[in-house]
Amino acid sequence: MKPLLILILVVASGGLAFSGYLSYRELFAVAPVAQCTPIGEPGTMFGAPPCIYGFFMYLAIVVMTAFARLRRRQEA
């Protein structure tokens, strides 16, 4: 179980970094970004770009996996 939790943590951390980068570019970039749909336009989810939701989903996976690793470490 330990190697699987580490693998999930590594993959989710990569997804968190990538979606965080896309979210940052979408929300705070000075120059217009051509990859994502502008906020509030068709192609967005509830008025926000999908990369923001991906960021929070990966964040939830990283937090849950980190807690699972901590619990397993405390039980051992």
Side-chain angles (χ1 to χ4, degrees), residues 15-76:
L16 182 68
F18 182 66
S19 61
Y21 170 73
L22 290 177
S23 298
Y24 174 78
R25 284 194 51 184
E26 182 66 27
L27 295 175
F28 303 111
V30 177
V33 180
Q35 288 101 348
C36 293
T37 307
I39 295 175
E41 296 214 2
T44 61
M45 294 174 28
F46 305 112
C51 52
I52 295 172
Y53 296 103
F55 175 78
F56 286 109
M57 286 184 229
Y58 278 117
L59 181 63
I61 293 170
V62 166
V63 168
M64 288 187 288
T65 307
F67 280 137
R69 290 248 317 127
L70 288 174
R71 285 193 70 198
R72 297 219 13 117
R73 186 176 287 174
Q74 290 174 351
E75 290 175 359

